[in-house]
Amino acid sequence: MSAATIALLGQPNSGKSTLFNALTGLHQHVGNWPGKTVEKKEGTFTHNGKSYSIADLPGSYSMSANSDEEVITRDFIASGKADVVCILADSSQLERSLFMLADFAGMDVPCFLILNMADVAKDQGKYINVSAIEKKLGIPVALISANDKNSYEKFYDVFERAVKEKTKLNVSALEKEYESLNGYDEIKSSLEDNTIEGYSPMWLTVKTLENDKVITAKLREKLSNEDFNRISRYSDTKGAIAAGESKFRWIDDILKDAVNVTKTRATLGKLDRIYTHRFWGKPAVVLTVILGLVGSFIPALPVMGLGSLVDALKVAVSEMLAGAGYPDFINQILCNVILQSMSFVIKMLGFVFGVTLVFGLLEEVGVMARISYVFDNTMSKLGLQGKSVMPFLVSFGCTMGGAAGSRVIDNWGQKVLTVALTWAVPCGATWAIIPMLSSIFFGSAAPVVIIAILLVMILHMWITAKVFGRNLVKSEDKFGMIMELPPYHKPKWGALFRYVFGRTKDTFFRVTKVVLLVCGIFWLLSYSGSDSYDSTLLYKLGIAIEPFTKLLGMPWQLFIAFVASSVGKEGAIGVISALYSGTSYAQGFNEAMSGGAVAANLNELLLANVSRPEALAFIFAITFNMPCIVALAATYQEIHSVKWTAKIAAYYTLSALLIGFIAYHVGLLIW
């Protein structure tokens, strides 16, 4: 049983997730808030023999009703589900970061304040008098670095004090600021302590002045028409501005004599002069991401080598089982499904490990904020934030890495949309086979096909953003953000590696389940128990659906290869080779998983059996089909929604067939 429930409240980049992950480790559950496209993170941790529950509330800049995140955050706090609220502020930017504390003031819940990023503030030459701030606020305050476990004793100390003493924020100084606002006294006098449960009259009064739509709607239900009409006349933009100014004056008063800066003001460094350059900024960011992508392979290679070792075990295990007299069915399940799937997963996991480590490092040292800043205006045209450019570029190498890279996006709807758009980017495996097929069928005109694919990719992303964006990203989130670039700082390697290993382990278990399930189904469809392919379910299914697949421009063999490309793009060629050469379909499936060898006369087989329009349809269809089964699993891993994962997969499967259909008919007009 939980001794207490703690809610983490703070602005984006305040270190909430770092603290949450460090406290809970893998004892966390990620889902969505009921009925909302907002990520919900809950977990547990143990300290001094007691178990505590913790909720990482959505990151938001205030507690106004400007977004679902803000409404969910304040409703959770007001509901009384949290015994204590931990408010996080960035020590390096206290003037801005404490605005959340000022907006929280007036909520009737015990709380304490964590001043995070003590190391960054120290590097800036800031001395923060914690005792002075604690005395002014009347709540426990601790100065820590969430990425440094050594500073957690301070956190536990103030946390336990807050739980035990139920400490509440002293708002008397803030209320004096509010009392000078036009209409404040009249509105407050119309409210009682329990007008709306969980909110004080002071907090409700300020939100009324700020014209908070949700609060004013609730007050309309609680008050008489006369009282509501009397107070609502003060709700306007001027009230919001005046209230904001009062909060910042209160913050200034708290920090007065409590923060001493010994260094002179920061100047723009050489790297920032490049990143923020009007012309060179974007090329510099693209180069940074590409170098990061290439660098990801360095830590990935040992893990990928382990996957190859598992693959190499297949022959020895198969011979051992055959020698021991085990049935062929058992032999193939163990070798061609389980061992092959594990090899596939481990190889892909290596890349996830590399991407998470390298791009986690870029975020840790402050580079990711620059990437977000430089591309924020461009990405906002798709309803996304600047960080989305990183998953897009990584997806040219591996869609799974792109999906994993979307974890840096703090808005759930924008994260889902980003992942959905990464699927439209042809991955490295696609680029390995499309030029080859194009050259076989179109010779010197192959570059035209490649250019057409890139143009379709851009159009696909724009259409997909329109299709999914309306449900995932609210209009107020589509605008570019206002942000202050955080200072660069040294990484905490221990915290980074703990996070990377934890995430890789979690990804392994989630991805393995999906890959084993899907690969098992594919194998069953292709298994015949003999070398005869015409008794397999795959063959019978192919023959049955050919009248339909012909309409899409693909004979059944190409259509089955299209389906197999959902498992792995590089294996589609192996499947085509098996289907047109008449070898074992189960072996063809095995090739799909391992990207193995193909028939030596593949060129002749394709040219003899496939027309140019059919080839064009197949090329475009597999390019924009679901990237691979591991990318599917990685998508679910990141967005935590079966519904949206299925939606994206179905959308790409159907749209790929439509694109292939269009390409086929374009081909008929040409040839």
Side-chain angles (χ1 to χ4, degrees):
M1 182 177 176
S2 174
T5 297
I6 175 175
L8 298 182
L9 173 67
Q11 295 180 338
N13 302 316
S14 62
K16 276 192 314 101
S17 296
T18 303
L19 181 60
F20 177 78
N21 290 328
L23 289 173
T24 61
L26 294 181
H27 301 289
Q28 55 180 262
H29 170 73
V30 182
N32 275 13
W33 292 89
K36 301 288 184 182
T37 57
V38 177
E39 197 169 69
K40 180 181 184 181
K41 298 168 72 175
E42 296 176 313
T44 58
F45 68 94
T46 302
H47 180 65
N48 283 342
K50 293 182 179 178
S51 176
Y52 298 96
S53 300
I54 182 168
D56 184 8
L57 298 177
S60 57
Y61 288 95
S62 69
M63 300 193 70
S64 299
N66 295 322
S67 66
D68 282 346
E69 285 83 354
E70 290 170 341
V71 173
I72 286 171
T73 294
R74 72 188 195 188
D75 283 352
F76 182 88
I77 294 172
S79 70
K81 294 177 181 175
D83 296 295
V84 62
V85 176
C86 171
I87 303 167
L88 276 90
D90 180 353
S91 300
S92 66
Q93 305 172 76
L94 277 176
E95 293 81 358
R96 177 180 62 78
S97 194
L98 283 177
F99 188 83
M100 178 61 83
L101 177 71
D103 222 26
F104 169 86
M107 300 199 78
D108 192 24
V109 182
C111 64
F112 63 103
L113 176 64
I114 294 297
L115 304 178
N116 190 23
M117 303 185 193
D119 52 339
V120 180
K122 183 180 179 183
D123 290 343
Q124 292 176 332
K126 288 182 179 176
Y127 170 74
I128 300 174
N129 188 335
V130 174
S131 299
I133 295 176
E134 188 170 296
K135 187 176 180 181
K136 290 181 179 179
L137 296 178
I139 57 174
V141 179
L143 179 65
I144 73 166
S145 293
N147 55 9
D148 182 3
K149 277 266 185 178
N150 294 326
S151 65
Y152 274 49
E153 279 307 313
K154 296 178 183 175
F155 168 82
Y156 290 126
D157 177 55
V158 294
F159 163 60
E160 289 180 324
R161 281 172 52 201
V163 171
K164 182 180 178 181
E165 300 171 12
K166 300 187 184 305
T167 50
K168 294 187 178 180
L169 187 64
N170 180 358
V171 297
S172 57
L174 180 59
E175 183 155 29
K176 284 184 179 177
E177 293 287 347
Y178 289 152
E179 285 171 355
S180 63
L181 301 178
N182 182 34
Y184 178 84
D185 291 336
E186 186 172 352
I187 296 173
K188 190 182 175 189
S189 65
S190 303
L191 304 174
E192 298 177 355
D193 288 343
N194 60 350
T195 299
I196 299 178
E197 199 70 32
Y199 303 103
S200 69
M202 183 191 88
W203 195 88
L204 292 173
T205 300
V206 174
K207 289 302 166 190
T208 303
L209 288 170
E210 294 174 350
N211 197 21
D212 184 299
K213 300 296 183 186
V214 176
I215 291 300
T216 52
K218 289 182 177 179
L219 289 177
R220 182 187 289 276
E221 297 174 359
K222 298 288 183 179
L223 301 177
S224 66
N225 286 337
E226 181 183 354
D227 283 344
F228 179 77
N229 291 333
R230 183 163 50 81
I231 67 171
S232 62
R233 60 196 171 99
Y234 295 106
S235 301
D236 55 23
T237 306
K238 291 181 180 177
I241 295 173
E245 290 172 346
S246 296
K247 291 170 188 173
F248 279 115
R249 282 196 297 271
W250 179 68
I251 293 170
D252 289 341
D253 185 60
I254 292 170
L255 300 180
K256 184 180 179 183
D257 301 326
V259 178
N260 183 30
V261 183
T262 56
K263 289 185 179 178
T264 55
R265 68 180 180 86
T267 57
L268 209 58
K270 290 181 180 178
L271 198 54
D272 277 343
R273 280 200 289 273
I274 297 174
Y275 279 134
T276 57
H277 193 277
R278 187 170 59 89
F279 179 77
W280 293 110
K282 288 182 179 177
V285 164
V286 171
L287 180 62
T288 301
V289 175
I290 291 175
L291 290 176
L293 178 61
V294 173
S296 298
F297 281 95
I298 297 174
L301 284 176
V303 184
M304 296 171 86
L306 181 62
S308 297
L309 283 178
V310 174
D311 189 43
L313 285 175
K314 284 193 310 180
V315 175
V317 173
S318 178
E319 290 176 354
M320 183 185 71
L321 292 175
Y326 282 90
D328 179 66
F329 184 80
I330 300 296
N331 192 328
Q332 291 209 30
I333 286 181
L334 186 59
C335 296
N336 290 347
V337 177
I338 297 178
L339 284 180
Q340 183 63 65
S341 297
M342 294 307 297
S343 169
F344 193 52
V345 168
I346 293 173
K347 287 175 184 173
M348 294 297 102
L349 206 64
F351 192 66
V352 169
F353 174 76
V355 166
T356 306
L357 177 62
V358 171
F359 288 96
L361 177 62
L362 291 180
E363 185 176 28
E364 178 80 9
V365 300
V367 170
M368 196 58 70
R370 274 74 183 172
I371 292 175
S372 183
Y373 167 78
V374 173
F375 272 92
D376 196 58
N377 189 43
T378 304
M379 290 294 104
S380 68
K381 293 179 173 58
L382 294 174
L384 301 173
Q385 52 184 264
K387 292 177 182 177
S388 298
V389 73
M390 188 273 282
F392 293 162
L393 294 174
V394 170
S395 292
F396 277 104
C398 175
T399 310
M400 185 185 187
S406 70
R407 66 159 194 83
V408 300
I409 299 168
D410 41 39
N411 179 289
W412 185 83
Q414 291 179 324
K415 178 190 292 186
V416 177
L417 184 57
T418 298
V419 174
L421 295 183
T422 62
W423 281 35
V425 178
C427 66
T430 305
W431 291 120
I433 62 173
I434 295 304
M436 181 192 75
L437 289 174
S438 301
S439 298
I440 291 174
F441 286 99
F442 309 111
S444 60
V448 178
V449 176
I450 303 301
I451 292 171
I453 284 175
L454 291 173
L455 293 175
V456 171
M457 178 196 77
I458 295 171
L459 179 64
H460 197 333
M461 293 179 76
W462 182 77
I463 293 174
T464 304
K466 295 292 181 186
V467 171
F468 288 129
R470 67 186 66 179
N471 293 321
L472 290 171
V473 185
K474 294 185 177 297
S475 57
E476 59 266 25
D477 294 330
K478 294 182 179 179
F479 298 103
M481 59 184 175
I482 299 171
M483 64 179 294
E484 186 174 344
L485 291 181
Y488 293 106
H489 53 276
K490 296 177 183 176
K492 295 289 184 183
W493 291 103
L496 179 60
F497 275 108
R498 278 196 298 274
Y499 169 74
V500 172
F501 282 120
R503 191 164 188 82
T504 304
K505 181 181 175 184
D506 190 36
T507 301
F508 173 76
F509 287 114
R510 289 176 183 267
V511 167
T512 300
K513 293 175 188 172
V514 179
V515 172
L516 282 174
L517 175 65
V518 175
C519 290
I521 293 172
F522 267 78
W523 180 83
L524 280 175
L525 289 173
S526 61
Y527 181 74
S528 68
S530 68
D531 291 335
S532 173
Y533 61 81
D534 55 4
S535 61
T536 64
L537 290 174
L538 192 64
Y539 175 79
K540 294 175 181 176
L541 178 65
I543 294 298
I545 64 174
E546 187 163 43
F548 168 71
T549 64
K550 277 284 191 181
L551 293 176
L552 299 173
M554 289 184 279
W556 74 269
Q557 294 93 336
L558 291 187
F559 185 80
I560 293 298
F562 164 79
V563 175
S565 71
S566 303
V567 179
K569 293 286 177 65
E570 58 271 67
I573 301 299
V575 170
I576 291 176
S577 176
L579 295 181
Y580 279 119
S581 61
T583 56
S584 166
Y585 285 7
Q587 183 60 33
F589 164 78
N590 195 31
E591 304 293 351
M593 290 295 295
S594 60
V598 299
N601 59 340
L602 180 64
N603 290 13
E604 291 78 5
L605 285 173
L606 289 176
L607 291 173
N609 292 283
V610 181
S611 68
R612 282 185 162 186
E614 289 172 340
L616 198 64
F618 179 68
I619 287 172
F620 274 86
I622 67 167
T623 298
F624 295 104
N625 190 18
M626 190 175 84
C628 68
I629 189 62
V630 182
L632 177 76
T635 296
Y636 172 65
Q637 158 79 5
E638 290 302 327
I639 67 177
H640 309 288
S641 168
V642 173
K643 185 182 80 172
W644 274 100
T645 304
K647 270 187 179 181
I648 294 170
Y651 170 81
Y652 271 89
T653 302
L654 295 175
S655 62
L657 292 173
L658 176 61
I659 292 170
F661 171 80
I662 294 171
Y664 174 66
H665 285 276
V666 170
L668 287 178
L669 293 174
I670 300 173
W671 299 290

